[in-house]
């Protein structure tokens, strides 16, 4: 697993899509700073840092495309056949890909959040985090959220072996509950599926409190999506006849 991750990191260094993801990250940072300068927020450095880290969905979508592109390229180039032929576990390859891309995203967002925190500190001071336990759990929740989305992209790319369709279906997976609500609503069946919407349970700096019980459904939903995506991806890889 360690060698696979090292190989993925080496691959990322030469991947133009990865440079594109970094560019999207810089755009996200520029937008955040622009909003800050317009006076829409007066957050301290700590608050801005956490808000930036817990946000960045635009950057996450770019990394989902990156994951889909790498998987699609592995199939297109025939590298997957070589990987399997060398006796590398398909499961380990799948996991190493999810871990590497998720780690790359988290590292990029960490750097951006620190930069944003220092920028905000220069105007409003560093400040403090009033509920440290809440934010510690928020970081864990965000990591689960990110890994679930990257796993969606990897799984869909494995299923379709195409970067475009893989990325599109990866984007759509989290919105299945909303789609079901719309379909049921068409048949006059009105039901709320908020309890299985992954975005509904994600923490926010503006909702911070000592009430930590809200993290239980957050971890259950995000973890459930992640495990389900893993299982589908594992089973597909296991049954694939790599040519």
């Amino acid at each position: 697993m360690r060698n696979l991750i090292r190989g993925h990191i080496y691959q990322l260094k030469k991947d133009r899509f990865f440079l594109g993801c970094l560019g999207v990250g810089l755009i996200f940072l520029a937008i955040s700073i622009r909003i800050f300068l317009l006076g829409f927020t007066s957050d301290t450095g700590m608050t801005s840092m956490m808000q930036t880290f817990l946000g960045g969905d635009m950057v996450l979508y770019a990394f989902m495309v990156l994951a889909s592109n790498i998987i699609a390229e592995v199939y297109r180039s025939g590298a997957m056949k070589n990987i399997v032929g060398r006796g590398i576990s398909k499961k380990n390859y799948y996991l190493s890909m999810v871990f590497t891309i998720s780690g790359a995203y988290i590292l990029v967002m960490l750097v951006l959040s620190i930069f944003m925190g220092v920028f905000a500190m220069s105007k409003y001071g560093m400040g403090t985090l009033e509920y440290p336990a809440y934010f510690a759990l928020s970081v864990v929740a965000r990591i689960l959220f990110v890994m679930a989305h990257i796993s969606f992209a990897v799984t869909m790319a494995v299923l379709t072996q195409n970067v475009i369709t893989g990325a599109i279906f990866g984007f759509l997976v989290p919105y299945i509950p909303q789609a079901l609500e719309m379909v049921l609503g068409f048949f006059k069946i009105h039901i709320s599926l908020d309890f299985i919407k992954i975005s509904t349970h994600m923490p926010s700096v503006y909702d911070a409190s000592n009430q930590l019980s809200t993290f239980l459904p957050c971890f259950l939903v995000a973890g459930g999506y992640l495990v389900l995506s893993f299982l589908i991806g594992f089973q597909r890889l296991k049954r694939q006849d790599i040519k």
Side-chain angles (χ1 to χ4, degrees):
M1 176 75 76
R2 185 179 301 175
N3 289 335
L4 284 172
I5 292 176
R6 287 177 180 172
H8 294 322
I9 293 174
Y10 178 79
Q11 184 180 5
L12 284 179
K13 293 178 180 178
K14 297 185 175 182
D15 197 311
R16 293 182 180 180
F17 266 75
F18 180 59
L19 296 178
C21 290
L22 295 180
V24 173
L26 292 176
I27 292 172
F28 169 74
L29 179 62
I31 293 173
S32 299
I33 291 176
R34 179 62 176 171
I35 292 174
F36 187 92
L37 291 175
L38 289 175
F40 294 160
T41 176
S42 58
D43 295 336
T44 62
M46 289 296 289
T47 302
S48 292
M49 184 170 67
M50 289 304 304
Q51 181 66 20
T52 301
F53 183 80
L54 296 179
D57 285 352
M58 177 176 68
V59 185
L60 178 57
Y61 295 150
F63 274 83
M64 289 175 69
V65 175
L66 171 65
S68 296
N69 180 67
I70 292 176
I71 294 294
E73 180 62 23
V74 166
Y75 280 104
R76 188 198 65 78
S77 65
M80 181 62 80
K81 182 178 180 179
N82 294 332
I83 291 171
V84 175
R86 289 164 55 191
I88 296 174
S89 167
K90 293 179 180 179
K91 182 183 295 186
N92 286 346
Y93 181 82
Y94 180 101
L95 290 174
S96 66
M97 180 61 66
V98 173
F99 290 153
T100 302
I101 303 300
S102 298
Y105 167 84
I106 291 169
L107 180 61
V108 168
M109 290 308 300
L110 180 61
V111 172
L112 295 180
S113 64
I114 291 175
F115 189 95
M116 187 63 192
V118 172
F119 184 84
M121 178 187 68
S122 66
K123 188 171 184 180
Y124 294 109
M126 194 61 190
T128 59
L129 293 177
E130 189 173 355
Y131 306 104
Y134 176 91
F135 288 106
L137 291 176
S138 295
V139 171
V140 177
R142 183 63 186 180
I143 292 174
L144 280 175
F145 180 84
V146 168
M147 289 185 65
H149 279 72
I150 297 299
S151 181
F152 295 155
V154 172
T155 294
M156 291 304 162
V158 167
L159 291 173
T160 63
Q161 298 183 23
N162 182 278
V163 58
I164 297 177
T165 54
I168 291 175
F169 283 120
F171 294 150
L172 293 178
V173 168
Y175 297 100
I176 290 177
Q178 288 90 328
L180 287 175
E181 285 180 344
M182 292 177 62
V183 172
L184 293 173
F186 180 79
F187 292 102
K188 308 300 182 182
I189 302 175
H190 301 289
I191 184 173
S192 175
L193 298 177
D194 285 348
F195 65 99
I196 58 172
K197 294 177 183 176
I198 189 170
S199 59
T200 299
H201 305 288
M202 287 299 105
S204 165
V205 295
Y206 302 112
D207 296 327
S209 69
N210 280 324
Q211 181 56 263
L212 303 181
S213 60
T214 56
F215 282 96
L216 179 59
C218 175
F219 291 151
L220 288 176
V221 173
Y225 274 106
L226 180 59
V227 171
L228 181 61
S229 183
F230 276 171
L231 291 176
I232 295 173
F234 290 162
Q235 288 302 313
R236 178 55 180 167
L237 271 174
K238 182 179 179 181
R239 298 177 181 178
Q240 270 182 347
D241 182 19
I242 308 297
K243 298 180 180 180

